[in-house]
Amino acid sequence: MSSSPLKRKKVKPIRVGILGCGAIGSRIARSIKTECGDRAMVTALFDINPVKATHLQKDLPCKNIVKTSYQDLLKSCDFVVEAVNAADTRDLVLKAILARKDVLVMSVGKFIEGESIFKIAQKQGVRVLIPSGALAGIDAIKAASLKRIDSIKLTTRKPVYGFAGNSYVKTQKIDLSRIKKETLLFEGKVQEAVKCFPQNINVAATIALASGCVEKLRIRITTSPEFKVNSHEIEMRGEFGRLVTRTENVVCPDNPKTSLLAVLSAVHTLKEYFQGVKIG
Ligand SMILES: NC(=O)c1ccc[n+]([C@@H]2O[C@H](COP(=O)([O-])OP(=O)(O)OC[C@H]3O[C@@H](n4cnc5c(N)ncnc54)[C@H](O)[C@@H]3O)[C@@H](O)[C@H]2O)c1
């Protein structure tokens, strides 16, 4: 008997490698089975702290996937999820692109200066995905950027504990324990913001890349004991009109510097990529 032409052709799942098994990498890895079904499977894990990769493996369907080097991870996957807080994140992502792997990038702040990774990816014929993170309005910013943009302002407000251990706060001699009301920690350009707050302000870099308007983007970062959530407020003006958005984000239970929405936006970006559907 001939097989039905309507029978769905079995497609091989895309093999995903997780670079960095911390708060974001682990949550993304665990969500791939539930959100992406049989379109993708995690086949490689690498973290400079092998305990983290081994711990994560216990929750995943494929076993023996902890790699002892990044090179090994690249050999065992088609797609790389970058979720590291490394000094050389940019080089790690470039290695994946040169190995012709599509990449989802979380450490967006590392990519607003230097040669555009998008151009290199284009030459290599691979795709770089940047999730909207803990922001609302990235879709509108991208569309508006096709015409003149006059100004963009991002105001980020985070609870005091979200800045614990930040070296800029220390060098500015800001005593977080003495803050009693809303206090401005930083105001300036996106390039300085991502250097001073590498763990807190990837959203600023996401706006810079979405708008292509680094010079017209101003960043303000404030904190207060009254803030219980991470909030991001964007105000943009241009030929399209005016945009105002605000998110009030629950922090990620595994890492107070990260918003839960940032993780969810990454998982949803992957879901659309694996399903081949893109909304927005
Ligand atoms: N795009 C966004 O909206 C957004 C939001 C929040 C965080 N982030 C960024 O995502 C990244 C991950 O965040 P997180 O909350 O999971 O951090 P995390 O500290 O919980 O995890 C990072 C992991 O990377 C590992 N690591 C460090 N250097 C490495 C290397 N060279 N090779 C392999 N592993 C290495 C660490 O051991 C750790 O397990 C950070 O750069 C953070 O700034 C982006």
Side-chain angles (χ1 to χ4, degrees), residues 19-26 46-50 52-53 70 82-89 92 105-110 130-135 158 197-203 206 252 254-255 257-259 261-263 265:
L19 170 61
C21 303
I24 296 184
S26 296
F46 177 64
D47 195 294
I48 41 161
N49 180 349
K52 291 198 174 187
Y70 181 43
E82 175 277 309
V84 287
N85 52 4
D88 60 344
T89 303
L92 295 171
V105 169
M106 289 309 298
S107 307
V108 195
K110 306 274 183 175
I130 302 214
S132 53
L135 294 170
K158 290 198 173 190
F197 297 89
Q199 295 294 304
N200 297 89
I201 200 80
N202 284 285
V203 284
T206 304
C252 183
D254 323 321
N255 185 344
K257 292 186 172 72
T258 294
S259 300
L261 188 62
V263 183
S265 83

Side-chain angles (χ1 to χ4, degrees), residues 177-214:
S177 67
R178 294 176 74 106
I179 291 179
K180 301 279 179 264
K181 56 178 183 24
E182 182 166 9
T183 302
L184 185 69
L185 296 181
F186 175 90
E187 181 158 25
K189 291 186 170 181
V190 60
Q191 298 95 321
E192 293 162 55
V194 297
K195 280 179 194 144
C196 299
F197 297 89
Q199 295 294 304
N200 297 89
I201 200 80
N202 284 285
V203 284
T206 304
I207 297 173
L209 291 174
S211 65
C213 247
V214 171

Side-chain angles (χ1 to χ4, degrees), residues 70 87-98 110-111:
Y70 181 43
D88 60 344
T89 303
R90 199 185 158 81
D91 288 345
L92 295 171
V93 169
L94 275 178
K95 277 186 186 145
I97 292 172
L98 295 174
K110 306 274 183 175
F111 296 93

Side-chain angles (χ1 to χ4, degrees), residues 229-246:
V229 294
N230 296 336
S231 81
H232 301 293
E233 207 171 281
I234 304 172
E235 186 183 357
M236 178 166 98
R237 290 170 193 272
E239 200 173 331
F240 73 99
R242 177 171 173 256
L243 166 145
V244 180
T245 71
R246 180 183 165 95

Side-chain angles (χ1 to χ4, degrees), residues 149-169:
I149 290 178
D150 298 323
S151 64
I152 316 178
K153 194 167 80 185
L154 169 71
T155 304
T156 288
R157 297 181 176 90
K158 290 198 173 190
V160 176
Y161 60 78
F163 297 100
N166 176 274
S167 51
Y168 173 82
V169 168

Side-chain angles (χ1 to χ4, degrees), residues 64-125:
N64 302 319
I65 58 173
V66 175
K67 303 297 168 189
T68 50
S69 72
Y70 181 43
Q71 212 46 44
D72 276 352
L73 176 136
L74 290 176
K75 284 185 200 149
S76 314
C77 68
D78 313 303
F79 186 103
V80 176
V81 170
E82 175 277 309
V84 287
N85 52 4
D88 60 344
T89 303
R90 199 185 158 81
D91 288 345
L92 295 171
V93 169
L94 275 178
K95 277 186 186 145
I97 292 172
L98 295 174
R100 294 186 185 270
K101 313 291 175 188
D102 288 358
V103 191
L104 176 112
V105 169
M106 289 309 298
S107 307
V108 195
K110 306 274 183 175
F111 296 93
I112 54 167
E113 289 187 298
E115 190 181 2
S116 159
I117 52 160
F118 302 111
K119 282 192 186 149
I120 302 168
Q122 232 170 12
K123 275 189 213 152
Q124 290 296 110

